[in-house]
């Protein structure tokens, strides 16, 4: 299989006038195309920081990070944005939907930024909403939906640009167990269709569906566990 993500000796620090904190300390990490990886660890261990660096939302202070064969070191903001748009979709715990936009418009937004023509945008949004089972809600606003439905919209938005990688930060954290299971089943289906997923979670239940669980502590990878051998058999 092809290596999609490769991180070597990754360092991330946060500084104030009085203190410097090392959030990530020489992290080494690889993800193959088609894997489903869960990242776990106690609060403050660096999970979300790591996801933000992987997602090109935050800069690293040392080490090397390659995604889909591209070295991210030295890229300017525009280049980082282009690389992120082509390769990565995001699913957040708080959905991050825009309240004043309809479901259709929320999902369409990344295509607007990518300057995709209107006709193609409409076709792609309708197709992904149908795939998520929420096309009948296209004209509704986020406040008119349940938490599980809002997260489905967030997943649709993440998929609309056909990314190679989905980064999910506590995707079931604000959901009841039924809605959470629906979202996890959705992520599992996407992974089985070939989408690579990296998910930060506190939930052992959610992590049990990943191929591999990576545990962080004090900004370092302390151990890994294989859950399923699917990707080994491919």
């Amino acid at each position: 299989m092809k290596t999609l993500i490769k991180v070597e000796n990754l360092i991330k620090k946060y500084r104030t006038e009085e203190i410097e904190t090392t959030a990530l300390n020489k992290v080494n990490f690889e993800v193959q195309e088609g894997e489903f990886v869960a990242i776990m660890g106690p609060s403050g261990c660096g999970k979300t920081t790591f996801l933000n660096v992987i997602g090109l939302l935050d800069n690293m202070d040392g080490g090397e990070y390659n995604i889909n064969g591209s070295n991210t070191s030295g890229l300017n903001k525009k280049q980082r944005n282009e690389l992120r748009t082509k390769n990565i979709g995001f699913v957040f715990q708080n959905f991050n939907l825009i309240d004043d936009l309809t479901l259709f418009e929320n999902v369409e937004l990344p295509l607007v930024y990518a300057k995709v023509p209107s006709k193609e945008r409409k076709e792609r949004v309708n197709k992904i909403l149908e795939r998520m089972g929420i096309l009948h809600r296209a004209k509704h606003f986020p406040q008119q939906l349940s938490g599980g439905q809002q997260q489905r919209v967030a997943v649709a938005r993440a998929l609309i640009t056909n990314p190679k990688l989905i980064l999910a930060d506590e995707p079931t954290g604000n959901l009841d167990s039924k809605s959470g299971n629906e979202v996890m089943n959705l992520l599992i289906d996407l992974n089985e269709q070939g989408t690579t997923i990296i998910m930060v979670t506190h939930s052992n239940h959610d992590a049990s569906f990943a191929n591999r669980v990576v545990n962080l502590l004090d900004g370092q990878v302390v151990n890994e566990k294989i859950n399923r051998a699917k990707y080994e058999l491919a």
Side-chain angles (χ1 to χ4, degrees):
M1 287 184 297
K2 179 182 176 182
T3 299
L4 181 62
I5 296 288
K6 186 172 184 179
V7 169
E8 295 181 289
N9 295 318
L10 177 65
I11 296 172
K12 177 62 184 177
K13 298 181 179 181
Y14 292 106
R15 301 174 180 87
T16 66
E17 292 182 0
E18 298 179 353
I19 193 170
E20 178 179 275
T21 302
T22 300
L24 298 171
N25 187 12
K26 297 183 179 180
V27 173
N28 293 285
F29 180 74
E30 283 192 24
V31 176
Q32 309 302 313
E33 282 191 351
E35 271 198 273
F36 187 162
V37 179
I39 299 177
M40 301 190 74
S43 296
C45 73
K47 300 187 300 298
T48 296
T49 297
F50 186 52
L51 211 64
N52 287 341
V53 173
I54 293 294
L56 299 172
L57 297 174
D58 208 349
N59 294 316
M60 56 189 177
D61 293 305
E64 193 166 291
Y65 168 34
N66 288 270
I67 176 169
N68 198 28
S70 296
N71 190 329
T72 65
S73 301
L75 296 182
N76 60 37
K77 184 177 180 180
K78 181 179 179 181
Q79 291 170 326
R80 291 165 63 85
N81 287 342
E82 289 176 351
L83 189 60
R84 181 171 59 245
T85 300
K86 289 179 181 178
N87 290 282
I88 304 171
F90 296 88
V91 179
F92 300 98
Q93 178 178 352
N94 294 321
F95 318 134
N96 284 16
L97 302 178
I98 299 174
D99 290 339
D100 295 335
L101 299 183
T102 65
L103 271 62
F104 184 99
E105 292 166 337
N106 267 281
V107 175
E108 181 188 31
L109 201 56
L111 299 181
V112 174
Y113 291 145
K115 299 181 180 179
V116 174
S118 176
K119 182 180 179 181
E120 182 181 347
R121 294 202 307 266
K122 183 177 180 180
E123 292 173 351
R124 288 171 65 173
V125 173
N126 283 337
K127 183 176 181 180
I128 196 70
L129 288 179
E130 183 175 16
R131 181 181 176 187
M132 297 295 108
I134 49 176
L135 180 58
H136 62 293
R137 297 276 195 167
K139 294 183 179 180
H140 287 68
F141 292 91
Q143 307 97 311
Q144 296 174 296
L145 305 180
S146 68
Q149 289 171 327
Q150 289 187 59
Q151 195 60 293
R152 282 180 173 269
V153 177
V155 172
R157 182 185 57 193
L159 290 173
I160 196 65
T161 57
N162 299 315
K164 293 182 176 293
L165 172 67
I166 293 290
L167 298 180
D169 192 359
E170 297 281 1
T172 67
N174 284 339
L175 303 177
D176 58 49
S177 58
K178 180 181 178 181
S179 297
N181 286 335
E182 289 176 356
V183 170
M184 285 307 305
N185 285 331
L186 182 58
L187 293 177
I188 292 165
D189 288 343
L190 292 173
N191 178 244
E192 290 177 347
Q193 293 167 28
T195 303
T196 306
I197 298 173
I198 301 176
M199 175 183 68
V200 162
T201 182
H202 280 101
S203 168
N204 288 314
H205 173 265
D206 290 357
S208 70
F209 295 104
N211 300 129
R212 183 161 53 106
V213 179
V214 176
N215 283 285
L216 290 182
L217 181 65
D218 296 332
Q220 295 181 310
V221 175
V222 290
N223 60 62
E224 298 187 16
K225 181 181 73 172
I226 302 297
N227 275 345
R228 293 187 289 164
K230 181 188 69 173
Y231 65 93
E232 293 181 327
L233 300 176

